[in-house]
Amino acid sequence: MTAQTSTPDAATTFVVPASPTGWRRLLRDLRRSTKGMTGAILVGLAILAALSAPIVAPHQPTSQAVRGRFAEPFFLDSSTDYPLGGDNLGRDILSRVLYGARASLAICFLVTIVAAAVGSVLGAVAGFRGGVIDTLIMRTVDLQLSIPFILLAMIVLAVLGPGFWSVFVALALALWVNYARLVRGETLRIREMEYVLSARTIGANERRLMTKHVLPNMLHSILVLATLDMAFVIIFEASLTFLGLGIQPPTPTWGYMLSEGRNYLQESPWMTVFPGGAIILTVVGINLLGDWLRDTFDPSLRNR
Amino acid sequence: MGAFLIRRIIHMAAVLVAVLVIVSLLLRLIPGDPVDAMMSGNPGMTQENMDMVRDQLGLNDPIPEQIWDYASGLLRGDLGNSLRFRAPVLPLITEKLGPTIELTGFALIIAILIALPLGMITALHRDRPADYIGSIIAVLGISVPAFLLGILFILLFAIEWRIFPPAGYGGSITDGIRAIITDGDFGPIKESFRYLFLPGLTLGITIAAYNARMIRSSMVEVLRQDYIRAARSKGLKHSTVVMRHAFRNALIPVITILGLQMGYLLSGAFVVENVFAWPGIGRFSIQALQWRDYPTIQGVVMITALMFLTINLLVDVLYAFIDPRIRFH
């Protein structure tokens, strides 16, 4: 096997590796696209907010002050102690929005990476091996798709108890099926292509075929699906938390801020407007970036 | 077609059995059982009393036996008794299912009414201002969480302008129709729709944005085909080409997506029902889960799973009517 990997392999030339020049070209494409740049800037802002929250935030996200109760945002009030206003417990909304980015982004990256990895591996195994393993994996997928994912997520959250890691498990469980289906379908298609057959002919084993020839060719599709899933994860996490099933206070989250703000909609709409705006801008950013990635990687799908 | 249907129905039955077993097991893994949930506000309850109640409810039987009992009841069309209400589950669920079906049905209609024109216009005006504006609207639509949109609508339509009620249920549409037929009274149905409008619009918009994007891409794909060029060069009118040749073919992928969207629609309904205090299956399931009411949750899961599987089967059958080239294997 070691001898094999060291032989120059003609088939690898068909694979498009993520080379430095590839990245540079991608960045150049990004700069030229209004859609891509808008998305990148919005996502970049969200990441920046999450990373810089401890430095930038004027208050602790959980510290309460009587003075800050329902404090008005800067454009309604001359004081800038609470730039985006205060909530019902006198917590600073700007600080909470900044810290809230952490929970949203952490869950969205973790869930998507794990769901994509697990789903892709299972899908590839199902497609490559066929037989009993394929049946087993794909029947599990069928099974899961027949239950509304919110019901499944609610049951999983009930079993594990609410909290960050329970939300992670519930969402990853809901999403891996998409990757399994995508990758299995692509595997069945690609493994019959001539370059894979020729690699097989010159003696590449199953594992090498899978990791060197088949999977790299779907990385783009997986990446596009993953980006669009991230948008879904942020919305879904916020929804679960809004319903009281997700991440629990005192962790500052956008979903929880909205569920509190809803009770003071008339008197203090800023309690709703700012976390709501944060969610929308982040998700719009991710969706634009995902759309752009799809246009770039697969021009034939440009209009999907 | 007959053989195809039989095979699919056997497959459906197998999936349902597996769903039942897995969900029943999962439910019993939830910390705390129905009796704990019932007695949580009742400190005078002794351990013996609680065990007696458990015995009565059959909760002390081995879990496989509990599942078997439930499953054999299912075969007779009996979904068991709710542990909370001590009443059959089926009427409880159908009572809540009505408002949810009204909500999702209305949302679907709104979604189609928005998505079809939006998707068609953006596709036909590709890379022109109408396309850009439409696409921006669609991206915004898929990026706004349903509950947030609901809150904003309540703020605008119910609190600021007082056009629609902020929450609640205005009676079922079937009752409204009955009132029109028997008394010629349009009051009840107006009332139903007054309450239905905001939650339906909220749910509809979130689904519409997805559909508009799908319809656009599907249309763009079809408009590129040779047969469209052929139809044009025959000298057919633009509207004929679009409607007779392109639209019909563009609908095929859209219908699949609609079938798959039932999941999104129902999940959205769970959230929207909570925002608008809509007495549907979503709010009810969250309560049933808190009560650890095993038979009720099992019933909800089984019925929704059955609905999902049936809809997907219908979607496959529908293909054949839209595209005669598709044959069942």
Side-chain angles (χ1 to χ4, degrees):
Chain A
M1 201 164 114
T2 38
Q4 224 174 55
T5 39
S6 57
T7 26
D9 192 343
T12 42
T13 50
F14 287 88
V15 176
V16 189
S19 64
T21 46
W23 283 111
R24 213 167 296 149
R25 204 166 63 215
L26 202 61
L27 271 178
R28 200 190 58 211
D29 281 354
L30 179 65
R31 273 201 296 274
R32 282 185 189 159
S33 150
T34 326
K35 194 198 253 177
M37 266 323 265
T38 317
I41 288 171
L42 289 174
V43 174
L45 279 176
I47 295 177
L48 194 67
L51 292 179
S52 68
I55 307 163
V56 181
H59 298 264
Q60 280 295 313
T62 48
S63 75
Q64 308 175 4
V66 182
R67 207 164 44 88
R69 284 197 71 207
F70 303 114
E72 296 185 328
F74 69 93
F75 46 86
L76 296 174
D77 188 89
S78 53
S79 145
T80 48
D81 260 8
Y82 294 88
L84 299 184
D87 68 5
N88 53 324
L89 297 176
R91 292 170 298 192
D92 178 43
I93 289 178
L94 173 63
S95 311
R96 289 176 68 71
V97 167
L98 290 173
Y99 273 95
R102 301 189 137 196
S104 279
L105 292 184
I107 208 104
C108 113
F109 284 121
L110 273 176
V111 166
T112 316
I113 290 168
V114 170
V118 172
S120 305
V121 168
L122 288 178
V125 169
F128 240 102
R129 286 283 156 80
V132 183
I133 297 181
D134 182 27
T135 314
L136 206 67
I137 294 175
M138 292 327 283
R139 287 309 137 234
T140 314
V141 170
D142 281 354
L143 197 72
Q144 211 183 308
L145 288 176
S146 71
I147 310 176
F149 50 73
I150 192 148
L151 258 179
L152 192 69
M154 275 165 46
I155 294 174
V156 170
L157 285 172
V159 173
L160 299 176
F164 183 88
W165 293 107
S166 312
V167 173
F168 161 74
V169 172
L171 285 174
L173 210 58
L175 289 182
W176 73 274
V177 286
N178 298 337
Y179 299 89
R181 274 159 44 121
L182 171 79
V183 171
R184 177 178 177 270
E186 289 281 281
T187 305
L188 290 180
R189 191 176 63 84
I190 294 176
R191 73 167 188 180
E192 300 305 326
M193 286 167 85
E194 272 173 18
Y195 78 91
V196 178
L197 291 180
S198 57
R200 197 191 285 273
T201 320
I202 59 172
N205 63 10
E206 290 264 291
R207 184 169 165 170
R208 184 177 168 78
L209 283 178
M210 194 141 62
T211 54
K212 289 272 170 188
H213 300 284
V214 177
L215 269 178
N217 268 314
M218 355 173 172
L219 269 185
H220 291 169
S221 316
I222 296 174
L223 194 61
V224 170
L225 182 60
T227 315
L228 296 173
D229 264 356
M230 285 185 186
F232 171 80
V233 171
I234 290 191
I235 291 184
F236 206 55
E237 178 274 316
S239 307
L240 286 173
T241 305
F242 176 80
L243 292 178
L245 304 166
I247 302 171
Q248 298 295 302
T251 312
T253 51
W254 295 336
Y256 186 69
M257 290 176 78
L258 285 167
S259 76
E260 278 186 324
R262 169 195 188 187
N263 301 321
Y264 307 95
L265 214 46
Q266 242 175 321
E267 310 88 311
S268 318
W270 51 88
M271 282 178 68
T272 300
V273 169
F274 294 115
I279 293 186
I280 296 175
L281 288 180
T282 310
V283 177
V284 165
I286 296 175
N287 276 323
L288 288 176
L289 210 52
D291 279 2
W292 167 77
L293 269 180
R294 179 163 45 194
D295 296 352
T296 312
F297 283 158
D298 193 349
S300 70
L301 290 175
R302 188 170 292 270
N303 295 297
R304 298 230 158 206
Chain B
M1 176 100 183
F4 165 80
L5 274 179
I6 290 169
R7 212 151 27 86
R8 284 291 298 262
I9 287 169
I10 292 173
H11 179 225
M12 260 170 76
V15 169
L16 282 174
V17 170
V19 166
L20 173 67
V21 173
I22 289 171
V23 168
S24 309
L25 289 176
L26 266 179
L27 286 177
R28 272 134 186 112
L29 283 177
I30 302 177
D33 75 352
V35 178
D36 293 327
M38 258 183 256
M39 301 308 168
S40 59
N42 197 342
M45 205 69 181
T46 62
Q47 199 57 48
E48 289 94 72
N49 288 341
M50 285 171 76
D51 270 336
M52 213 174 70
V53 179
R54 286 201 179 96
D55 255 347
Q56 281 174 5
L57 296 175
L59 291 170
N60 283 337
D61 297 343
I63 290 172
E65 201 180 308
Q66 291 181 33
I67 298 175
W68 177 255
D69 284 349
Y70 187 84
S72 49
L74 272 186
L75 288 181
R76 297 188 303 268
D78 176 12
L79 284 174
N81 287 319
S82 157
L83 303 177
R84 186 78 177 191
F85 298 105
R86 306 283 176 100
V89 166
L90 190 59
L92 277 175
I93 293 179
T94 44
E95 184 198 324
K96 309 287 179 200
L97 211 52
T100 298
I101 290 175
E102 286 173 6
L103 175 63
T104 46
F106 186 68
L108 204 56
I109 293 171
I110 287 188
I112 292 169
L113 286 180
I114 298 174
L116 269 186
L118 193 61
M120 296 283 280
I121 288 169
T122 47
L124 292 173
H125 295 260
R126 204 177 139 212
D127 294 332
R128 275 181 279 169
D131 181 20
Y132 296 136
I133 295 168
S135 300
I136 290 172
I137 294 175
V139 168
L140 271 176
I142 60 168
S143 303
V144 182
F147 67 93
L148 184 56
L149 198 63
I151 293 176
L152 294 177
F153 280 163
I154 291 177
L155 187 62
L156 279 183
F157 291 102
I159 297 177
E160 282 298 318
W161 300 331
R162 298 182 187 280
I163 308 173
F164 293 104
Y169 183 59
S172 81
I173 295 176
T174 36
D175 285 351
I177 292 171
R178 202 172 297 140
I180 297 174
I181 295 168
T182 52
D183 314 323
D185 179 7
F186 282 85
I189 197 142
K190 266 189 200 153
E191 202 56 14
S192 324
F193 276 104
R194 236 167 54 81
Y195 279 88
L196 181 56
F197 188 75
L198 282 188
L201 187 67
T202 306
L203 190 54
I205 286 178
T206 51
I207 310 281
Y210 268 107
N211 286 328
R213 283 159 62 100
M214 289 302 158
I215 292 169
R216 177 181 182 277
S217 62
S218 185
M219 249 334 246
V220 166
E221 191 66 32
V222 169
L223 285 173
R224 224 187 263 151
Q225 302 291 318
D226 287 340
Y227 62 78
I228 297 294
R229 196 173 310 137
R232 287 232 165 93
S233 47
K234 267 199 308 196
L236 290 179
K237 273 193 305 186
H238 178 67
S239 59
T240 315
V241 175
V242 169
M243 294 316 294
R244 292 276 295 275
H245 296 256
F247 183 59
R248 209 178 137 104
N249 287 303
L251 268 188
I252 294 174
V254 173
I255 285 180
T256 330
I257 301 294
L258 271 181
L260 289 172
Q261 256 175 12
M262 290 314 289
Y264 285 91
L265 204 54
L266 203 68
S267 296
F270 271 56
V271 178
V272 170
E273 281 177 9
N274 255 282
V275 175
F276 288 93
W278 191 258
I281 202 85
R283 277 181 82 213
F284 183 60
S285 331
I286 293 180
Q287 285 170 335
L289 209 53
Q290 276 157 2
W291 294 329
R292 311 279 185 262
D293 194 344
Y294 302 145
T296 305
I297 307 166
Q298 280 161 212
V300 171
V301 174
M302 294 308 285
I303 288 181
T304 45
L306 184 66
M307 275 166 40
F308 265 40
L309 293 167
T310 314
I311 287 166
N312 282 330
L313 182 59
L314 284 180
V315 166
D316 287 351
V317 174
L318 210 58
Y319 278 161
F321 286 98
I322 295 182
D323 186 350
R325 285 172 310 176
I326 294 173
R327 287 279 164 267
F328 298 106
H329 303 293

